[in-house]
Amino acid sequence: MISALSVAVLMSLISACSADSDRSGIVVTTNILGDLTKAVVGDTVPVTVLMQAGADPHSFAISARQAAEIERSALVVHNGLGLEEGVARHVQAAAAAGVPTLAVAERVDPIEYTSDESAGKPDPHFWTDPRRVRTAVEAISAEVLARVDGVDGAAVRANTERYLAEIDQLDRWMTDRFAAIPAERRQLVTDHHVFGYLAQRFGFRVVGAVIPSGTTLASPSAADLDGLAAAIRAAGVSAIFADSAQPDRLSRVLAEHTGLTVRVIGLHTESLTAPGGGAATYLEMARANTEAIARGLAGPTT
């Protein structure tokens, strides 16, 4: 005779198996990770990207329908390390419900912020270093193969190898392009702390950030701006790099406050653009930013 407890255990196992079999597709939080994931899986499995082109990864929000889609997915790919502040609770809820999740930034040997109010916290902006992007792609590929039922493994492996070769080519080109910048001019001032990985990888010094934090949700004080203006004057910085998807008013105020000729140059730092916007893919974004930084810091002869 089957006991009531045995029946309950059996029903719970059937329910869990049914829930697992109902999960399909891959949901990705940010559009940069969405592009990497699509490069890996191609058309072998549907990929849904939650963050729209030009959005801020720190503050974008999702609908109830998208939240439900997360919990029905076979895999959730997210950045982690505190980047997606507006959707983190939905990812956590999905993980608690048994949905496989991949926090990509945790897999790429993350560094910590070294200054201002974020000092000591892990830096989630790994994609400014192509070597770490290579590691991220390998992690995404491995997780897709392990977690997504019915995926075409041969196609995923071929896509992965092809894309890794493109990243290696990008890495070599960025290395050569930045090598043309004199060492004394490799100094970065940005709208918030977003280029720590690039600085470490390619030998730049981060002088400071207009928003002295790793998130756009913080705000600078008058003392913060005065201190950064003094640092810019002391270092002889010639450019401030601001995210083209964010208002650059504070960056322009700071540039004027220095009393020097300091340009404000737009970059695509945390979001891809729509097609035709100059940074519709990760590779396009990385090339555009590298070119803008190299031209902005190379000096008056370029």
Side-chain angles (χ1 to χ4, degrees):
M1 180 178 293
I2 301 178
S3 69
L5 179 59
S6 298
V7 170
V9 171
L10 180 60
M11 291 304 293
S12 103
L13 289 172
I14 292 172
S15 175
C17 291
S18 175
D20 289 342
S21 65
D22 289 342
R23 293 185 182 131
S24 64
I26 301 171
V27 173
V28 188
T29 54
T30 71
N31 52 42
I32 294 174
L33 287 178
D35 186 59
L36 302 185
T37 303
K38 288 179 178 179
V40 165
V41 304
D43 58 3
T44 64
V45 63
V47 176
T48 299
V49 180
L50 300 177
M51 179 180 156
Q52 297 297 309
D56 184 340
H58 298 281
S59 61
F60 81 100
I62 61 175
S63 67
R65 179 188 60 78
Q66 289 173 312
E69 190 169 4
I70 291 176
E71 295 205 15
R72 291 195 302 267
S73 64
L75 174 66
V76 176
V77 178
H78 65 115
N79 195 89
L81 298 185
L83 181 75
E84 306 100 320
E85 297 170 70
V87 299
R89 64 186 180 89
H90 298 292
V91 175
Q92 291 164 1
V99 178
T101 61
L102 170 63
V104 177
E106 296 178 7
R107 301 285 192 92
V108 300
D109 188 23
I111 63 175
E112 293 181 346
Y113 295 111
T114 58
S115 63
D116 294 330
E117 64 181 53
S118 294
K121 297 178 181 178
D123 184 345
H125 305 93
F126 72 88
W127 55 86
T128 61
D129 175 3
R131 283 187 181 172
R132 283 183 165 88
V133 172
R134 189 185 212 285
T135 302
V137 169
E138 291 173 331
I140 292 169
S141 179
E143 205 71 11
V144 168
L145 291 171
R147 300 290 190 179
V148 181
D149 291 339
V151 71
D152 185 338
V156 169
R157 292 183 186 92
N159 290 340
T160 301
E161 290 304 311
R162 182 167 54 249
Y163 193 58
L164 290 176
E166 292 187 77
I167 292 173
D168 290 342
Q169 183 179 36
L170 170 71
D171 187 25
R172 291 190 294 270
W173 177 80
M174 289 176 67
T175 301
D176 290 344
R177 193 69 183 92
F178 286 142
I181 304 173
E184 67 275 11
R185 298 185 68 88
R186 293 186 196 176
Q187 303 186 100
L188 292 173
V189 176
T190 55
D191 55 358
H192 72 292
H193 286 296
V194 72
F195 278 114
Y197 288 91
L198 182 142
Q200 182 194 73
R201 169 75 176 81
F202 296 106
F204 284 79
R205 174 190 168 218
V206 177
V207 175
V210 179
I211 299 174
S213 175
T215 173
T216 56
L217 303 185
S219 59
S221 66
D224 290 330
L225 293 177
D226 285 343
L228 183 53
I232 288 172
R233 287 192 293 269
V237 171
S238 60
I240 298 171
F241 297 100
D243 192 319
S244 59
Q246 302 291 332
D248 65 358
R249 181 183 62 82
L250 280 175
S251 296
R252 295 192 178 280
V253 167
L254 176 64
E256 293 174 5
H257 193 47
T258 65
L260 305 174
T261 301
V262 178
R263 290 180 294 161
V264 176
I265 298 174
L267 300 179
H268 308 286
T269 59
E270 293 193 297
S271 176
L272 302 182
T273 66
T281 68
Y282 165 71
L283 295 174
E284 187 178 17
M285 179 186 76
R287 292 189 185 102
N289 287 344
T290 298
E291 194 62 36
I293 292 170
R295 288 182 178 276
L297 299 182
T301 58
T302 57

